[in-house]
Amino acid sequence: MPRLTEELIRKSAEHNDGVLADLEEIALHQREIEGIESLELCCRHLKILLLQNNIIPKMEGLNKLKELEYLNLALNNISKIEGIEGCESLKKLDMTVNFVGVEELEESVYNLKANMMLEDLYLTGNPCSDWSGYRAYVVAHLPQLKQLDAKLIVPRERIKARQQLPRLQQELEVAVEEAKQKRLAELGQPVSEGAYTKESRNEMYLELAEQKAEKERNEKRRMGQEAKEPRVVPGVYNARGEIRQCNEGKYSFDLDDWTHSDKIVFELAVPKYLDTTALDVDVNPLYVRVVVKDKVTQLKLSAEVKPDASKVQRSRTTGMLHIDMPLVQPNQVKDRKAPEPELQPLKPSAEPTPARSGRGYGTGEANSKAVSIQGIYKDPKRVASKKQDTLLREVKTVRAKGAQEDEDDDDDIPPLDSRR
């Protein structure tokens, strides 16, 4: 439940630009407020104060508001009117639907006698209003009132109430005693479901406050304004008890443990314009750890170093973080794997290939020529058949001798030319 703090008051004074010194009116209704405070210190000039529909159990922190004219405390958990004797300018007081009973009616009315400017009072919905002599009793004791529960007080009613005051005082004492006996009888008895009590109102407002808070969280989550929980920086060791090796910020780094024989050099490429105060460097004999904006870069060292003799620097031009870590034992062999040999391309063998014999490989003469496998297999589907290279032969024609004699010469047929 929120308290009535200065921050909440300033937030509710947006119409006055958040200025409280000259604030005259403020609305703090339906805020689930459970206590009145801070008003006397920062809002001395208040004239209108709206605190209805909260769960305020007691009237306090109002006595120094000399200029207050209208106070609304309807729908709260107040059992007695008090703490407003110093509100000299108070003209209207709304206490609708609270818990002022007949036991507290006499004292509540007595406390209102000091408010000489009070003209309008609302007590509807309080247990005291169930008593038959309630209105006449209040009218008889508060002659400054002009209206009670939105009903005008006429002179005839006021005179009659004063005449009945002794009898009303006796009836009030009887009603108070009956109320006490009824309360004792109900003590320890289970409260009926749905009964209007202070406890039920508190429970209802707790649920409303939770629903409102959940709605605000959902709205902030939707708008991307939800406050994130602070990130937990991982520790030095992992779950297996080993030194953690990580680079959460994904910064470029270089751990040189081979170039120098007397030290290990670590470089981390942090952002150039990052403030140096955002860096947390820790050099341990077995590891180096740098925290940049809650993101850890930690590496295990291959040899033990001297943390107290280490030197941390940062480049002014690039922002690079440079750490020199002297070794405890210079020139000691570092735990590093030997470089693997480079792969060389295969070369043909210089030895002669054994010759084949009829039944196997011979062991005698070496084959001087390389064996070619070209043309061993041909796919008939993919290789075209070879055409014949046979040339057409030229045939020489000779006329037979007997046919030449029997056949007559024909002048129309030319003789055949002989070709060589």
Side-chain angles (χ1 to χ4, degrees), residues 240-264:
R240 299 186 298 272
E242 303 172 350
I243 295 177
R244 188 188 306 274
Q245 300 208 81
C246 60
N247 183 16
E248 296 181 334
K250 302 187 185 312
Y251 301 117
S252 300
F253 68 90
D254 181 29
L255 183 64
D256 186 2
D257 58 355
W258 199 259
T259 304
H260 307 280
S261 60
D262 59 341
K263 65 180 180 180
I264 297 177

Side-chain angles (χ1 to χ4, degrees), residues 322-334:
H322 183 91
I323 305 176
D324 289 336
M325 296 171 284
L327 294 173
V328 174
Q329 298 179 1
N331 301 319
Q332 67 178 349
V333 179
K334 302 177 179 63

Side-chain angles (χ1 to χ4, degrees), residues 229-246:
E229 297 181 0
R231 185 176 182 274
V232 179
V233 179
V236 176
Y237 300 96
N238 56 22
R240 299 186 298 272
E242 303 172 350
I243 295 177
R244 188 188 306 274
Q245 300 208 81
C246 60

